[in-house]
Amino acid sequence: MTNHEGPGITRRRLLAGAAGGLALALTGGRLWSPAEEAAAETGDQPAAQPLITHVARPLDAETPSQVFTQYLTPNDQFFIRSHFGPPAPALVAPASWRLSVAGLVERPLSLSLDDLSKFEEVSMTAVVQCSGNGRAFHRPKAPGVQWETGAVGNARWTGIRLRDVLQRAGLKARAQHLQLQGADRPVVASVPLFVRSIPLKKALHPDTILATRMNGAPLPLLHGAPLRLITPGWMADSCVKWLTDLTLQAEEARGYYMETAYRYPSRPVKPGEVLAPEDLKPVEAMVVKSLIAFPKQGATLSSSAVMVQGVAWTGEGHIEKVEVSTDEGKTWEQARLVGEDVPYAWRQWQFLWRTKGSGQRTILSRASDDRGQVQPMSSPWNPGGFLWNGVDRVQVQVTEA
Amino acid sequence: MSVHVRPQKPFLSRLMTLILVMVGMMGLPSFTMGQAEEPTTDQQAQRLLASRCSVCHSQDLVQQQRLPRDRWEATVTKMVHWGAQLDKEEEAMLTTYLATYFHPEAGPVVALPAAPSIQADQAGRESGAAPTPGGAAARGASLYKQNCLPCHGEAGNGGVGPKLARNPILTQADRFRTTVSQGRGAMPPWGAVLRPQEITDILAWLNTLHD
């Protein structure tokens, strides 16, 4: 499989046309968009460049890749992944909201936002990425939201260290895992709650934070207001939104979202092979990955010199290089790493492409990190369709300048 | 949506259905046929998708999947386990439908069977009761419980969806009917699931709520 778009699949969501036409018919000419509706309900401003909606309810929407020409992804253009959608605003009203710290602790705590504001404030730029980002490119297709490239973003998170809060509660010796739960609830009570846990080592890491602000603004409701966890370098499954309950436990959390979902095989598996949960381990660190932000898929270029731009990031390591190929991977040339270079954030890159002749061309990008990880042409198949990091690919039309 | 024609149907009845659909779409007074068809199993499965699955998620989530039959079986079984209201027969019908249209070899756009026309459908189904122009609140109560309660709450007091008890829309019957049958915002369209009389019955029951 050399074309990760798969046969006949383009990045333009073909279904969107039909659905859009229907929506237009139903709304008497104004195209309704779930993101707009969510914005109307939450008081957030609708985005200038709308997100690409995969699921209208609960809202799952990704960022168009051209937004990634910016170092920081704006709050209103940041991807949205919902298991159940945001809790009713009353449930996360700042005045009545509490964070509970319980389980294997010396002193159970119930902290208000005011209590939390008394801890030392820290800020950090970090990539947040859904572990299903790129699922649409796996062959055979894996079940789940068919994210393409944009279930990822880079934002500046401000809050307090989780470690400081846990130390205030005092940990008992048997505490090995931290269970996390937010205020969101399923429509039907028989649906399992979104309960996750992280090993204590990650919980006590000084860079793991309880964030109340995103890119300098209060955390928007769709992104977890008033409080969400940020586990930098890890997939976003543990970045629990609307966080209300921390429970110290001896074991990993029980339940569907820890025991069944968000798990990755601990050995290579054949496509279609169905595995027992014990053959799988929870998704944790991100893998090395790059995206092309400019030019965009399907663009027509009439210049003999094009500045290709993009971003690259990895889990707990450091991006060492990004390479670009314009001949289907036969030869690779090194791109220039530019801009900020800080742990957990993505790195911007540029590549001056001298186009030759005219016709359809494909640009590929491939990142490598200091842990020896290199983006493969195609990622290993796994039942959940997680951790896709195959080289990014953008097709453009080059015309004579 | 492209019309999926089943070859075993007699040509004349297909033509009559088509005429009914077109008449219905043009909003002209339509005539009723004595022998309209039952909705096909595909159409019944589409109804289940709209009424039982859409309680928790919109149908786009389903339509973007391309899974083999055993994965669909596992998925539907999981959903029933999580509370989807499907009996054994409905579960089998829905699984077959999903495996037929959303399989790994299906292309990026799937042509789905058209929803049955309301007129043809009403003529062919037992209405169960004489038409009640003002709506029958007792029937409305049970219809509400089956279809609306998960989002709009026990006594219309709201939840994921807005509060309906004493909602101003209850005084605007036409707008209420349009909203229910065509959907609005996050609310899915119920026109393929609820007949006009059933929507009127639900409205009658909602108008009995006083909190």
Side-chain angles (χ1 to χ4, degrees):
Chain A
M1 178 66 79
T2 54
N3 177 359
H4 80 194
E5 307 280 6
I9 294 191
T10 68
R11 287 224 185 126
R12 198 168 51 79
R13 301 202 51 235
L14 290 158
L15 284 167
L22 184 67
L24 211 56
L26 296 180
T27 53
R30 195 182 142 276
L31 184 57
W32 169 80
S33 99
E36 257 177 61
E37 162 123 337
E41 282 174 10
T42 56
D44 296 338
Q45 287 301 307
Q49 205 159 19
L51 297 172
I52 301 158
T53 299
H54 290 285
V55 181
R57 183 175 48 87
L59 183 59
D60 289 307
E62 69 172 77
T63 309
S65 50
Q66 56 269 35
V67 172
F68 304 146
T69 52
Q70 301 164 84
Y71 179 61
L72 294 177
T73 313
N75 292 2
D76 61 356
Q77 295 181 290
F78 209 94
F79 85 94
I80 294 157
R81 163 65 177 137
S82 309
H83 291 93
F84 316 126
L91 287 177
V92 288
S96 55
W97 184 91
R98 294 290 178 280
L99 175 68
S100 149
V101 187
L104 298 170
V105 292
E106 303 295 346
R107 297 170 293 281
L109 304 173
S110 173
L111 303 165
S112 67
L113 285 174
D114 194 47
D115 296 332
L116 293 178
S117 72
K118 296 187 171 68
F119 289 87
E120 185 193 352
E121 184 177 278
V122 289
S123 284
M124 171 186 66
T125 302
V127 170
V128 165
Q129 179 183 209
C130 172
S131 54
N133 194 24
R135 178 180 287 125
F137 306 132
H138 277 289
R139 292 292 178 277
K141 288 258 189 187
V145 179
Q146 297 298 302
W147 301 107
E148 294 185 3
T149 55
V152 62
N154 188 52
R156 183 136 186 92
W157 308 96
T158 303
I160 60 174
R161 289 189 186 90
L162 173 60
R163 185 177 69 174
D164 294 351
V165 174
L166 297 180
Q167 283 169 344
R168 168 94 38 107
L171 304 183
K172 291 189 170 167
R174 288 192 304 120
Q176 289 302 311
H177 295 268
L178 177 67
Q179 180 177 295
L180 311 157
Q181 201 191 319
D184 54 332
R185 292 291 179 272
V187 174
V188 177
S190 42
V191 170
L193 293 171
F194 184 62
V195 176
R196 296 280 303 169
S197 69
I198 54 173
L200 195 63
K201 186 176 174 210
K202 187 70 178 174
L204 293 177
H205 194 289
D207 297 328
T208 297
I209 66 168
L210 297 167
T212 55
R213 300 180 73 77
M214 179 177 178
N215 291 325
L219 207 51
L221 180 60
L222 286 171
H223 296 292
L227 189 79
R228 90 177 284 182
L229 186 68
I230 299 291
T231 48
W234 280 25
M235 286 289 182
D237 326 301
S238 49
C239 299
V240 174
K241 294 183 278 198
W242 313 294
L243 188 63
T244 53
D245 290 270
L246 300 176
T247 313
L248 277 301
Q249 299 179 161
E251 305 290 338
E252 248 176 41
R254 304 298 307 269
Y256 176 79
Y257 287 102
M258 208 61 203
E259 294 176 79
T260 306
Y262 298 122
R263 295 179 83 90
Y264 191 85
S266 42
R267 58 177 173 86
V269 299
K270 287 199 234 13
E273 191 177 339
V274 178
L275 296 151
E278 54 271 20
D279 289 332
L280 301 140
K281 56 184 190 333
V283 164
E284 291 182 349
M286 287 192 271
V287 287
V288 71
K289 192 165 176 176
S290 66
L291 289 176
I292 297 162
F294 182 88
K296 68 176 188 186
Q297 173 72 17
T300 299
L301 307 169
S302 62
S303 165
S304 57
V306 176
M307 187 60 84
V308 180
Q309 298 170 53
V311 291
W313 69 96
T314 186
E316 289 161 322
H318 180 258
I319 290 293
E320 293 236 302
K321 72 174 172 188
V322 173
E323 298 158 291
V324 170
S325 173
T326 52
D327 60 8
E328 282 295 345
K330 287 198 263 308
T331 60
W332 294 87
E333 294 176 82
Q334 210 154 320
R336 197 157 58 101
L337 299 178
V338 296
E340 299 282 331
D341 180 15
V342 293
Y344 312 123
W346 61 30
R347 192 76 199 272
Q348 294 173 290
W349 55 265
Q350 296 176 339
F351 175 76
L352 184 64
W353 175 33
R354 302 204 178 275
T355 62
K356 292 181 187 70
S358 60
Q360 184 153 295
R361 298 283 188 277
T362 304
I363 311 166
L364 306 180
S365 74
R366 177 174 80 179
S368 309
D369 72 4
D370 62 343
R371 313 274 166 113
Q373 288 192 74
V374 182
Q375 274 186 273
M377 289 303 277
S378 177
S379 301
W381 184 89
N382 63 96
F386 296 127
L387 273 57
W388 174 270
N389 70 333
V391 296
D392 198 30
R393 164 184 298 265
V394 164
Q395 287 175 316
V396 294
Q397 199 66 31
V398 176
T399 59
E400 292 293 350
Chain B
M1 287 283 247
S2 67
V3 183
H4 175 86
V5 180
R6 298 173 74 92
Q8 66 271 32
K9 278 194 201 164
F11 170 77
L12 190 65
S13 102
R14 282 212 314 261
L15 183 70
M16 292 310 286
T17 309
L18 189 66
I19 290 169
L20 277 172
V21 171
M22 290 172 72
V23 168
M25 281 186 341
M26 291 187 294
L28 298 173
S30 57
F31 55 93
T32 1
M33 291 168 55
Q35 284 302 307
E37 298 157 53
E38 281 290 311
T40 64
T41 50
D42 278 352
Q43 289 166 337
Q44 289 175 55
Q46 283 178 324
R47 279 211 179 117
L48 294 172
L49 206 52
S51 59
R52 313 297 163 74
C53 309
S54 293
V55 168
C56 290
H57 58 81
S58 46
Q59 295 181 50
D60 43 14
L61 177 59
V62 172
Q63 293 168 349
Q64 65 194 259
Q65 309 303 320
R66 297 290 182 271
L67 304 174
R69 190 181 172 97
D70 62 330
R71 292 287 83 208
W72 276 123
E73 277 168 4
T75 303
V76 176
T77 301
K78 177 173 86 174
M79 294 300 158
V80 169
H81 179 66
W82 283 3
Q85 299 287 307
L86 297 163
D87 63 27
K88 280 277 165 243
E89 193 187 342
E90 292 171 330
E91 201 180 322
M93 189 187 283
L94 185 63
T95 303
T96 298
Y97 170 81
L98 295 169
T100 303
Y101 290 97
F102 306 106
H103 56 85
E105 283 70 48
V109 179
V110 174
L112 298 175
S117 87
I118 300 285
Q119 288 84 353
D121 181 33
Q122 275 192 280
R125 275 166 68 181
E126 284 292 309
S127 77
T132 318
R139 283 202 306 258
S142 68
L143 288 164
Y144 177 90
K145 195 170 166 191
Q146 193 183 355
N147 299 295
C148 324
L149 183 146
C151 294
H152 293 284
E154 192 79 44
N157 47 8
V160 174
K163 179 178 170 178
L164 294 176
R166 307 193 67 164
N167 187 311
I169 199 171
L170 301 184
T171 62
Q172 307 162 55
D174 286 349
R175 199 172 142 228
F176 178 86
R177 280 191 274 265
T178 306
T179 304
V180 175
S181 63
Q182 301 184 351
R184 194 173 81 196
M187 173 157 156
W190 290 82
V193 179
L194 296 166
R195 290 170 289 169
Q197 179 65 57
E198 292 174 326
I199 297 175
T200 305
D201 294 345
I202 292 168
L203 178 60
W205 180 72
L206 286 171
N207 272 316
T208 66
L209 303 174
H210 296 298
D211 54 83

